Amino acid sequence: MTKLAPKPHDVTTKTSDNFPLIFERSRSGRRASAPPKPADTDLAALLGADNLRDTPPALPEVSELDLVRHYTQLAHRQFSIDGNFYPLGSCTMKYNPKVNEETAKLFNDVHPYQDPSQVQGALELLYNLQHDLAEITGTDAVSLQPAAGAHGELTGILMIRAYHEANGEGEQRRVVIVPDGAHGTNPATATMVGYKVVEVPTGDNGEVNLEAFKEVLGDHVAAVMLTNPNTLGIFETNILEISRLAHEVGAQLYYDGANTNAIVGRARPGDMGFDVVHLNLHKTFTTPHGGGGPGTGPVGVKAHLRDFLPAPLVKKTADGFDLDFDLPHSIGRMRSFYGNFGNLVRAYTYIRALGKEGLEQVSAMAVLNANYLRVRLKEAGFPIPFDRINMHEFVAQPPEGLKAIDIAKALLDYGVHPMTVYFPLVVKEAMMVEPTETESLETLDAYAAVLADVLRRANDDPADLLHAPYQTPVRRPDEVTAARNPVLRYRPSEPV
Amino acid sequence: MTKLAPKPHDVTTKTSDNFPLIFERSRSGRRASAPPKPADTDLAALLGADNLRDTPPALPEVSELDLVRHYTQLAHRQFSIDGNFYPLGSCTMKYNPKVNEETAKLFNDVHPYQDPSQVQGALELLYNLQHDLAEITGTDAVSLQPAAGAHGELTGILMIRAYHEANGEGEQRRVVIVPDGAHGTNPATATMVGYKVVEVPTGDNGEVNLEAFKEVLGDHVAAVMLTNPNTLGIFETNILEISRLAHEVGAQLYYDGANTNAIVGRARPGDMGFDVVHLNLHKTFTTPHGGGGPGTGPVGVKAHLRDFLPAPLVKKTADGFDLDFDLPHSIGRMRSFYGNFGNLVRAYTYIRALGKEGLEQVSAMAVLNANYLRVRLKEAGFPIPFDRINMHEFVAQPPEGLKAIDIAKALLDYGVHPMTVYFPLVVKEAMMVEPTETESLETLDAYAAVLADVLRRANDDPADLLHAPYQTPVRRPDEVTAARNPVLRYRPSEPV
Amino acid sequence: MNYLPHTPDDIAMALRVIGVDSVDELFADMPKALRKPDMDLPSGMDETSLLEHLRGLAAKNKGGGSSLLGGGVRNHFIPSVTPHLALQSEFVTAYTPYQAEVAQGILQATFEYQTMMSELTGLPVSNASMYDGASSVAEAALLAVRQAKKHNKVLISSGVHPESREVAKTYLKPLGIEVVEIALDNMITPQPEVDDDVAGVIVQSPNFLGYIEPMADLANAAHDAGALFIAVCDPLSLAVLKAPGDYGADIAVGDGQTIGNPVAFGGPHFGYMVVSDDLLRQLPGRIVGETTDEEGKRAFVLTLQAREQHIRRSKAKSNICSNHQLAALMAAVNLSALGPQGLRDVATQSVHNAHSLAKQLAGAGLEDAGFKVEAEPNFFNEFVLRSPVPAKALRRALADAGVQAGVPVPSAYGLGNAVVLSATELTTQADIDALIAALQNVGQPAPKQVEVAYD
Amino acid sequence: MNYLPHTPDDIAMALRVIGVDSVDELFADMPKALRKPDMDLPSGMDETSLLEHLRGLAAKNKGGGSSLLGGGVRNHFIPSVTPHLALQSEFVTAYTPYQAEVAQGILQATFEYQTMMSELTGLPVSNASMYDGASSVAEAALLAVRQAKKHNKVLISSGVHPESREVAKTYLKPLGIEVVEIALDNMITPQPEVDDDVAGVIVQSPNFLGYIEPMADLANAAHDAGALFIAVCDPLSLAVLKAPGDYGADIAVGDGQTIGNPVAFGGPHFGYMVVSDDLLRQLPGRIVGETTDEEGKRAFVLTLQAREQHIRRSKAKSNICSNHQLAALMAAVNLSALGPQGLRDVATQSVHNAHSLAKQLAGAGLEDAGFKVEAEPNFFNEFVLRSPVPAKALRRALADAGVQAGVPVPSAYGLGNAVVLSATELTTQADIDALIAALQNVGQPAPKQVEVAYD
Ligand SMILES: Cc1ncc(COP(=O)(O)O)c(C=O)c1O
Ligand SMILES: Cc1ncc(COP(=O)(O)O)c(C=O)c1O
């Protein structure tokens, strides 16, 4: 059936010259918009002459049409979920519903410092979402403040630290345990909170090695950070035992919610024994990745940690909804205002669209798709290091002698995005594939067919892949020079 | 500045697969949206069993993501003003302001059959626009009903016919005069009104040949249809004389407004003596072309024709605004409701944004750009058949031995759209260029450079252009077979 | 506010290159008397003032989004995904796809649109779109006359939307084609006499009043006399009702608003026209066809252009040039978003709600006040309510009560005071309750000033 | 409503291929006790009900769009073209640009963003964005500590937004870094004592109260003691005010909302961070750099990733991974749309209106009622109004009068009852009149229940 079409040609501007920077399109005196005309104003008098800058910032000066062309053409130089299959493992690049964008816009004008009586709708939404996410994660209270997954991690580990301190165990507990397959943000977060990181190895079955785990465990441990399923896409079958062991020594169990798409609606971290849970709304809950962000990383906690949450929460009162600053042990604010509200609206829209049954179907079909694609990739000739039923993602490898990077680069010419490569670190040449539930089986078949074609090419001519891609706007940019000799902003080469 | 150059030809990984049709992405049972769930309904009982169709229409069944991919990828297979310089002569492919789209949306929910008391804002806008367009065209009354330029022509010629009939000259006047350079809609319109078309030749200076015009003129003539500037981009310097002569024999003068961008704010068809004027809001007044439409073709008339306008107009009353059906000689309706209202909002937004002075600048800069590009193309080696100061557009030709079609096709590889070719018919291998005022000189320079490069390639290898373009999603589709053996809809090749 | 890139330096440079001294010199061909006309136009605005002005106008409209107003266009469900996809700037700001290589987006989408309209109507050949329903009816009549050659009369049912009939007359009259109306009988079209000189018979179903016509019988009557049968249909109704192709129609036309465009005070929407194979070369407007490119790949092009004005000039089948492509694209995306089941769901619930509305009105004790629901013959999602007060006065009274409903039935229908009511899948019980309450109020001894103002 | 493509046939086929009998079997690894949790969540909704629900919530908010509320985020002019371009689906639905070949759109736009932020701040090295202003202040403090190594104290002016100070403390406390506040003196930051163990001095200008700080002197004080100077600035103010680079700041941070993002109840906006060359390798977050590709063409890539968590893990400069790229893109597009002159116009008119507001308030005879405008020292577009009633009560009373204004000044400032007022280029004389009228009413013998409710 439908094979993936080749990469849509970049018909907008294919030139042997450089694609121009907006600064290179700039001509002194051009304007692309008409703000309100200012009154004659003596800024020096109003602001103090010494406070004024001497030269204006050299921002671009372009016409509105040139502005439009620039960003339209840049958009054509960009893969996206809307244009391309994008099975990045650990990233959950699922469909971002358009209705979410409509609903988010409805709140654009609401100012965070309006009197609560004026923003009852916004507060009610936050209140409902706190509730929904607590139900979904199996926790007792939720802060919507964190601005990304890593920010949620920081929030959570700070709370754990404060909790231990409140219990007089602050000095004693200085270690955070993470699996060797953990995402980089986990150890980095622990360090930011002043903790030492201890890694626990992955066992042969792709799960946390329970024996090794017991060895590093002790009453010096502040927290254990896990994802479940883990970064290999494998469910930690010993999770209840891990939880028991951790709690036995007084450690807190932290859930990195990046892989929630595997379990949403079917199992809850809270029920597994996790004390703190963050969610990536930009993964499971369809807020767009935006080319890097904004994400949103709400944190749910069990009751014993509630009072440590960053303030404010939203509470329901007799009169309606209000901000709740009454959190006696609060770690303090993690960011300004009430979190990435626009994304909270999007996620709320998504949750209420699907409802309970819909969410349960999400994880079912995410896992179905990932297993299906695993089998198809195996048929296509890719070794699967942990070849068992996986959850929402799985890790493959290139056949002996090939490199993941070359496979990835070759895929770009087919108009499909590569999987995540070289993560997790515990698998050599890891190719981590997460198709998500919003993809059709035909798309997965086409991806497998493309990967088979890449292997065929590698067989026919081993040098072929080394120079792939061939059809993209640029080809294998020189990253080494970029880092050695950093050019981080435009500077006009000649006086303009 | 940025030069444009063709893509390299080596296509290593191009797959020969067809881009799929939405029907080929279809799988029975998929849905891309959630309309309100219908109640259990016995349609046979409510509608009559005999009235129900036996098989549902075979519409596409796709997931929302597959839908999004399909149309996003199709959008990437499409040139547009926003992505590409698009200097189609006679088409006025100028920038379509985004603010127009915002304002048009504000009226999406207004129903045309609401009581006038409920739609005062919409009626006020129409009233204001009738006024503005009358001022701009120098006419006394304006109908906003026509849905395109050609529809405006039909409206206008029908009015002229009704006018002559009202004067008892209906039988006598059976001829419409158009220049040989006229757009095809002019003669086609005359035929639709039952008139005979007589062409008047273009003189050596690119204007209507006045002697020839006098010869075909007479009291059998119902109307003379002109554009001014004409389709060569040349201002008819004898326009006042032409008008005098036409009116002398009792003919009505019709203005095809396709070229209004050359004169807007600086001269008015009504002042030139035209009795009926249509405007293409999708040209001069920035409503988008939409890949073919909807256009909008309001018609303005002098006072003696007002009562012949299609009803309703919008009038101002003591209580506000109301529909005015009181047009005793009305030719009748030309379409349902009140015209392409959404586009009327866009055009009104544009007119009010620019204001009087802004409109005057439009024609100034449109004419400046066209003359500048004419000189640049001449320098690049393209003959200019009527080499004089032109208005908003001009006609060039390929150098001897080359074909306009091959130049046009070669341009596609550079990411720029060709000019209009083979129109007007009075110039062999016509290449009609209209840059519009919203383009920067750098864009015009780049276009001239690209055209020079095309000539260079033709010199280097005469066969090169014959197979251009090389980098587009498809290359020189076979139009002859398409017309001989028409395939006008998808039919599944095998049972699905 | 303007959209010009030109700086003073740019202008000076360009003038130098052109070889003139001033911008005015570029306009030397223009007679002096014409230059710098005195136009009564306001000054330009910045974007903030502009939006304020337009938002101010928009705020003067009331009650938008009502789903009780019909008359051919209705506020139906359009999922958010539809405008997001159809209104991508690549589609919005493209020209007619004459350069096929860089217009496969519009061309393929239009080919798909043609297929969908063919599926809905059960006829094989769709063009790429027309202006609107009314002008499509007129063009269909012209087509019939062209095809029939000698004939110069068309019959048109009074059940065809009054505005469509008006437009047909506007188009046909100057060509000396007689337009004869078939009066309705009990709100549907009776079997007409079809003379030999009739080129076409035009019937709308559901008709303007909402009732389903006996299309098969009417088509037979037309064909028996050698005339073409032209069906005018709300495409949404074709989700469940028999298709024109099913009952032998030669041409199907109509307004496409209901399957994917907002009502937008009446436009832009689009007209569709789908015909039988033998009418292909008489079809007005653009048509997209499939072919192959130099490399053998499937490609789409505008085809059969020899019918059109830019090739055939005075001998063209119509003068139509710009059509309503973007509105047709909205419909194509929307039909793909809904799919056959979604479209059926929308149509079904619209029918359900309209019948429920009729039933509730009939049971609301409004007869004494002089209202009467015409629940027979079979109707789709619109039907007639007879009124004790003039139609426009009723509509105004309802509007004053916050209910937007009641398309006036023209007096020519001979129904006295009557309006067309409608319901869609978006109609709620609250909408129905509000209407009934408002009608009950109107039913009270009539508030004089309303009657007076609208008689 | 869901977004799944799977038909029953698809599921059956996939299960066959996988070699299991049911979907549940795929979850066999999950302990039974965990499965099918009982969640208190409502059922799904169709799109119409969903939009109705969300529109209902939106309708419960009042007075949006006010331009008299500040406190760090304000409703500024954003031309229509900005969201149209920045929110193209190719940008919105892209991931972090790790595959540079197919992410030149985001990468180049980010490189351009970095250049613009560098121009505004007068410092050379910008990262690709941070979460928000508050967390950027915290990260800047951490950077200073990393750079200074031995030092473990930072000074922070109380003029820094209270929420930013709070966040900085949250971040710094567990690392044992002391955060010492510099109290304001007459609403600006006095020259502080800077000990040797201070890693950085953080000052915001215009400060939270709106007043312009003596940044050059404060920077000197920091530098004299070997500490870094961290300037926190509203980037809009940098259109006209001296840039951090001008007065020797080492780090500039802040919230970017004011230059192109809607207020949106507080987010998402973005934080920016721009530093001097010698801090480059300490910078947290993503950075885009220019390079060339295999064919020698200019290309952009994420660079210096050795600073980041995915490479350095526990030794990374920060744990930040996702940033706020799309919000930064909104700013970049918006700055390009405005240009230097447009940005200056916006800033100038905002200043003009704020000063006009202050002057009109001062002349409105409100002193007797206990109001006092603090028009000194120099302020930008926000300033303090002392109030006879508690700040929150005042805000509520104004809101009840339909005026959205008055960010409460925390009591720690020692100003008693006071609010921050603000004006932007969008503020109208009508806004000002309404505020004055409302204040005059509040000035009347205070309505008791308001005071009580908010004490
Ligand atoms: C497993 C895991 N943990 C944490 C993160 C960090 O999340 P964020 O980028 O939202 O900070 C990611 C993101 O890719 C992840 O995959
Ligand atoms: C000179 C001229 N007249 C008439 C028309 C027809 O206008 P429309 O396509 O809006 O019907 C055009 C359109 O290209 C034109 O250029």
Side-chain angles (χ1 to χ4, degrees), chain A residues 24 39 51 53 58 79 110-111 114 118 124 135 290-291 333 335-337 348 369 409 475 478 489, chain D residues 6 40 53 60 62 73 92 94 101-102 119 132 163 170 238 242 265-266 291 295 298 319 349 404:
Chain A
E24 292 165 341
N51 289 323
R53 67 189 289 163
F79 273 18
V110 185
H111 194 285
Q114 288 184 257
Q118 308 294 295
E124 181 175 346
E135 286 296 322
R333 272 193 173 275
R335 58 154 286 168
S336 48
F337 314 117
Y348 179 71
N369 270 2
K409 293 300 178 195
R475 301 178 46 209
D478 179 353
R489 57 154 290 176
Chain D
H6 299 82
D40 172 27
H53 175 53
K60 291 185 193 168
K62 295 179 204 148
V73 296
V92 172
E101 289 89 345
V102 295
E119 282 295 327
D132 73 339
E163 300 193 7
T170 308
L238 300 178
K242 275 216 173 352
F265 206 46
T291 185
E295 297 172 6
R298 179 165 65 194
N319 74 339
Q349 186 63 6
Q404 310 291 330

Side-chain angles (χ1 to χ4, degrees), chain C residues 102-314:
Chain C
V102 295
Q104 288 297 298
I106 295 283
L107 285 164
Q108 178 170 330
T110 304
F111 182 81
E112 294 169 353
Y113 159 83
Q114 291 173 183
T115 307
M116 293 175 206
M117 295 317 295
S118 168
E119 282 294 327
L120 282 172
T121 58
L123 287 166
V125 181
S126 170
N127 72 7
S129 76
M130 308 292 287
Y131 303 138
D132 71 341
S135 63
S136 304
V137 169
E139 287 272 16
L142 288 175
L143 195 168
V145 171
R146 274 200 303 281
Q147 177 73 359
K149 277 168 195 142
K150 59 186 187 329
H151 310 314
N152 64 350
K153 193 197 275 182
V154 296
L155 298 192
I156 190 163
S157 158
S158 299
V160 175
H161 195 299
E163 299 193 6
S164 300
R165 280 182 281 136
E166 263 197 71
V167 174
K169 284 176 203 157
T170 309
Y171 272 59
L172 296 178
K173 196 177 133 212
L175 298 174
I177 302 164
E178 206 184 332
V179 180
V180 180
E181 296 212 355
I182 313 169
L184 299 188
D185 180 11
N186 188 29
M187 290 172 300
I188 60 167
T189 309
Q191 282 295 98
E193 295 285 335
V194 188
D195 300 343
D196 272 4
D197 60 346
V198 171
V201 177
I202 310 176
V203 184
Q204 177 177 324
S205 180
N207 66 26
F208 174 68
L209 303 175
Y211 303 95
I212 301 173
E213 296 278 6
M215 296 299 267
D217 294 345
L218 294 164
N220 286 340
H223 289 154
D224 286 348
L228 297 186
F229 186 65
I230 298 164
V232 186
C233 300
D234 174 354
L236 177 61
S237 73
L238 300 179
V240 295
L241 292 184
K242 275 214 171 0
D246 292 339
Y247 45 75
D250 303 283
I251 306 177
V253 290
D255 197 292
Q257 181 274 328
T258 55
I259 52 170
N261 281 272
V263 291
F265 206 45
H269 310 149
F270 70 100
Y272 71 86
M273 183 179 290
V274 198
V275 301
S276 60
D277 277 321
D278 43 329
L279 299 180
L280 162 58
R281 284 171 206 268
Q282 292 295 351
L283 194 57
R286 294 169 184 152
I287 308 177
V288 173
E290 179 184 324
T291 186
T292 50
D293 82 344
E294 276 213 359
E295 297 172 7
K297 260 199 244 176
R298 179 167 62 194
F300 300 94
V301 293
L302 290 174
T303 192
L304 300 166
Q305 298 186 57
R307 298 163 300 108
E308 291 184 69
Q309 47 72 31
H310 62 291
I311 307 286
R312 280 294 261 286
R313 302 178 68 82
S314 65

